[in-house]
Amino acid sequence: MAETIFSKIIDKSLPADIVYETDEIIAFRDISPQAPTHIIIIPKKQISTVNDIELDDAALVGKLFVAAKVIAKSEGLADDGYRLVVNCQEGAGQTVFHLHVHLIGGRSLLWPPG
Ligand code: 5GP
């Protein structure tokens, strides 16, 4: 599968402000934050989009949410609330084709989004 900019963050050849890391998951602050807290959570395994998730990836994908919960708590967002966003394909705004969850918080978040 095609490598992306996130592959370079995983192998540490591109610097990032990493806030969480396990053997399977890494999370770092977004370079262009849309809120006071904007963190990108990714599997180290290269999965391009939600469309490419296989049943065997279910546990790994679940761990993205476990990471989100842990990070939200450490960022002080657990009680006030936060949003998790996954864009799938260009039509939904996906620009980096390595599966990722946006964790956004620290300001009021409108619903429904634009
Ligand atoms: P998408 O639009 O694909 O859902 O989200 C990709 C996100 O990755 C964007 O919010 C963008 O700002 C972020 N991003 C793109 N390149 C880099 C980078 O080199 N470093 C970091 N930390 N974030 C990046």
Side-chain angles (χ1 to χ4, degrees), residues 5-6 9 14 16 28-32 38 40 87 93-96 100 102:
I5 198 90
F6 290 173
I9 291 175
L14 183 72
F28 48 88
R29 294 190 193 282
D30 196 292
I31 203 167
S32 178
H38 186 169
I40 300 290
N87 297 322
Q94 186 173 6
T95 58
V96 179
H100 54 280
H102 296 256

Side-chain angles (χ1 to χ4, degrees), residues 56-74:
D56 282 352
D57 298 318
L60 177 61
V61 172
K63 288 174 187 175
L64 296 174
F65 284 83
V66 174
K69 177 196 82 167
V70 170
I71 296 163
K73 184 162 192 200
S74 68

